[in-house]
Amino acid sequence: MHFIMILLCPNFTVLSSNASSDAGNYNPNNKVTGFPTEAFGNDGILMSYQHPFLPRRQSIAVKVGDITVGGDAPIVVQSMTNTDTADEVATANQIADLAATGSEMVRITVNTVEAAAAVPGIKARLKHMGINVPLVGDFHFNGHKLLTLHPECAEALDKYRINPGNVGRGKRRDEQFAVMIEMAVKYNKAVRIGVNWGSMDQELLAKLMDENAQLAEPKDPKHIMFETVIQSAIESAQTAENLGLTKDKIIISCKMSDVQDLVTVYRTMAERCDYALHLGLTEAGMGSKGIVASTAALSILLHEGIGDTIRISLTPEPGAARTKEVIVAQEILQTMGLRAFVPLVTACPGCGRTSSTYFQELAEQIQRYLREQMPVWATQYQGVETMSVAVMGCVVNGPGESKHANIGISLPGTGETPVAPVYEDGEKTVTLKGDNIAGEFTELLNQYIERSYQKI
């Protein structure tokens, strides 16, 4: 039996192989390996591969408050509140929590006159708390009225989200859409043209379905649905330009609830325009299902260089913090190597050698500590968010993983000597034992940061 071992990582050279003599005859379009023929030596050994990502799609940069979306800017993490926006205190507090967790932009529902009237007060409360996160107003059905009746709301928001599918119908749709765009132009605000498959432009859908029915070989109805959401987004953006909104004020999105549908739509949209793109799987769901579905969809697109800002639309579990969606978004970007937000902990999954849960508890404790401390460290140390930490549970992989981290600890497994060696930058520095290993390791972590990262 012949086999090839391939290790995927951002930059590497010469990987080991048991390859047969014909292993070098790889098709450059091989969908199993994904590597071009020239990446292999004559004996089939994968010699080098410089970067796993495709070049990032070039989009027009858009300024939203103090945040830049698109162009060469880092991919932006955003979130959305689920409070009643008319409740200024509750909404401002939730925005503050989201911002503290790392949300770089927060969307709020603006659906009633009370909600619109509350927006300036929310902005003022945030300013008093020292929070300057951009606010996005989410408008459906009556946005044209609310922005007109409450110009102070229009001015306080940093971006408007407009869904072309529910602005209105026929002539009223055009007029009401124009009112919202004119307000954005007047107050120099960015706009996201946010199409959702669940609220498509029905007139455009009917038109495309009729045209399709006249074809000698009609296309699949799903293809028409894809075309409807794409055309709705791009044509609405072009209409906004015709109304005076410059291209550097426009972000578009076409959200779907199925992973493969989302990938198909965004690949097509990315080819047809250079507007900045907002990525998100709508109605992703609750718990692990929502996290897995969002990760699967967004990782494919981000790998292909598509996407300028992301939001994870998780359904919160009862009583759970809204901030979970921010953490998931950050971890997608960080585990893909696209951004760094907070030091991440590497920990083994556990097995029969780790019947004690101590290492799991310590890993969770350290990860929580890192996230809680990061807002403070971010103001004190440069680059600490890139630090890697390992908390391992036994001798099998513990020392090796700990050596590869900036700082790591290898706890004893079942039946092993009750000692825990600590490694810093590949070198064993101390062995911990006793009842205060967690506290001692946390202190070593703090000392490592102070010693290793430049103070701001």
Side-chain angles (χ1 to χ4, degrees):
M1 179 182 296
H2 304 294
F3 66 93
I4 297 175
M5 280 179 54
I6 296 179
L7 174 66
L8 291 178
C9 56
N11 294 281
F12 57 85
T13 59
V14 189
L15 302 182
S16 62
S17 170
N18 241 10
S20 63
S21 59
D22 63 348
N25 298 322
Y26 278 83
N27 186 318
N29 297 316
N30 188 316
K31 306 218 180 275
V32 176
T33 67
F35 295 107
T37 302
E38 58 268 22
F40 294 89
N42 293 331
D43 58 358
I45 295 178
L46 183 59
M47 299 300 293
S48 66
Y49 191 63
Q50 293 303 309
H51 205 287
F53 297 101
L54 297 177
R56 186 169 171 189
R57 167 184 171 270
Q58 291 300 301
S59 61
I60 303 297
V62 178
K63 199 78 171 177
V64 182
D66 292 334
I67 298 295
T68 300
V69 177
D72 296 324
I75 297 166
V76 174
V77 170
Q78 60 179 283
S79 59
M80 186 173 184
T81 61
N82 62 355
T83 56
D84 179 357
T85 306
D87 186 336
E88 287 186 23
V89 174
T91 302
N93 287 340
Q94 190 173 82
I95 293 169
D97 288 342
L98 292 165
T101 306
S103 183
E104 296 162 305
M105 199 181 303
V106 179
R107 181 158 44 116
I108 59 177
T109 299
V110 186
N111 58 336
T112 63
V113 291
E114 293 80 9
V119 171
I122 292 168
K123 190 88 168 182
R125 289 176 183 274
L126 292 171
K127 185 177 180 180
H128 182 72
M129 289 187 274
I131 297 170
N132 192 37
V133 63
L135 296 185
V136 181
D138 194 58
F139 295 99
H140 297 273
F141 307 110
N142 61 351
H144 60 293
K145 291 181 180 178
L146 296 177
L147 289 172
T148 302
L149 291 172
H150 294 276
E152 66 280 2
C153 168
E155 190 168 8
L157 292 168
D158 297 285
K159 185 175 77 171
Y160 311 155
R161 184 276 173 111
I162 304 173
N163 183 342
N166 56 32
V167 173
R169 297 185 181 279
K171 184 179 179 182
R172 288 180 56 207
R173 175 196 180 280
D174 295 340
E175 293 172 351
Q176 291 167 184
F177 181 80
V179 168
M180 299 183 75
I181 297 301
E182 286 164 3
M183 293 296 282
V185 172
K186 178 179 180 179
Y187 292 107
N188 195 32
K189 304 298 180 179
V191 168
R192 171 162 70 95
I193 307 294
V195 177
N196 192 303
W197 81 275
S199 54
M200 286 185 288
D201 182 336
Q202 294 301 308
E203 292 178 5
L204 177 59
L205 175 62
K207 172 178 173 290
L208 294 179
M209 291 292 283
D210 289 343
E211 292 175 355
N212 186 57
Q214 304 302 316
L215 298 176
E217 296 182 11
K219 296 177 181 177
D220 183 270
K222 197 169 212 181
H223 175 93
I224 305 304
M225 178 185 73
F226 293 162
E227 191 61 31
T228 300
V229 295
I230 294 167
Q231 283 194 27
S232 179
I234 295 177
E235 290 178 4
S236 295
Q238 292 170 341
T239 299
E241 285 192 72
N242 293 336
L243 291 167
L245 191 66
T246 55
K247 206 168 191 177
D248 62 353
K249 293 291 183 183
I250 300 173
I251 299 170
I252 65 174
S253 65
C254 287
K255 292 193 175 183
M256 316 294 285
S257 59
D258 178 85
V259 171
Q260 298 297 342
D261 290 353
L262 187 83
V263 172
T264 298
V265 164
Y266 270 89
R267 280 174 173 167
T268 305
M269 192 159 56
E271 292 177 351
R272 293 191 188 178
C273 72
D274 59 359
Y275 295 111
L277 297 181
H278 168 120
L279 301 187
L281 189 74
T282 190
E283 300 148 6
M286 182 180 289
S288 60
K289 184 268 179 184
I291 293 171
V292 170
S294 293
T295 303
L298 269 59
S299 295
I300 294 170
L301 294 168
L302 293 169
H303 174 84
E304 295 178 2
I306 298 170
D308 300 296
T309 178
I310 67 172
R311 190 244 166 157
I312 308 301
S313 300
L314 291 182
T315 302
E317 296 175 2
R322 189 70 169 180
T323 53
K324 183 69 173 178
E325 67 176 63
V326 178
I327 295 171
V328 172
Q330 289 180 329
E331 290 181 348
I332 289 173
L333 295 176
Q334 186 152 353
T335 55
M336 291 188 70
L338 293 169
R339 289 193 66 182
F341 298 94
V342 64
L344 295 182
V345 175
T346 297
C348 61
C351 65
R353 297 183 182 86
T354 56
S355 54
S356 167
T357 61
Y358 184 73
F359 88 92
Q360 298 161 316
E361 293 164 1
L362 179 58
E364 194 278 334
Q365 178 183 331
I366 293 298
Q367 183 68 77
R368 184 173 62 251
Y369 177 75
L370 293 170
R371 185 165 285 281
E372 290 171 352
Q373 288 295 115
M374 191 59 215
V376 177
W377 289 336
T379 65
Q380 297 176 339
Y381 302 102
Q382 185 174 331
V384 69
E385 67 277 4
T386 65
M387 180 177 65
S388 59
V389 181
V391 178
M392 304 300 292
C394 79
V395 74
V396 174
N397 292 317
E401 289 285 359
S402 297
K403 288 178 183 178
H404 281 94
N406 292 121
I407 180 170
I409 185 170
S410 179
L411 296 164
T414 305
E416 296 176 12
T417 304
V419 295
V422 174
Y423 298 84
E424 297 181 13
D425 296 325
E427 299 294 332
K428 181 179 174 181
T429 57
V430 67
T431 298
L432 304 180
K433 60 182 72 174
D435 298 328
N436 192 33
I437 288 178
E440 291 178 13
F441 182 66
T442 301
E443 181 56 31
L444 289 171
L445 182 63
N446 289 328
Q447 292 173 10
Y448 179 86
I449 291 171
E450 187 172 355
R451 186 175 63 251
S452 303
Y453 293 92
Q454 183 177 346
K455 290 189 176 181
I456 296 174

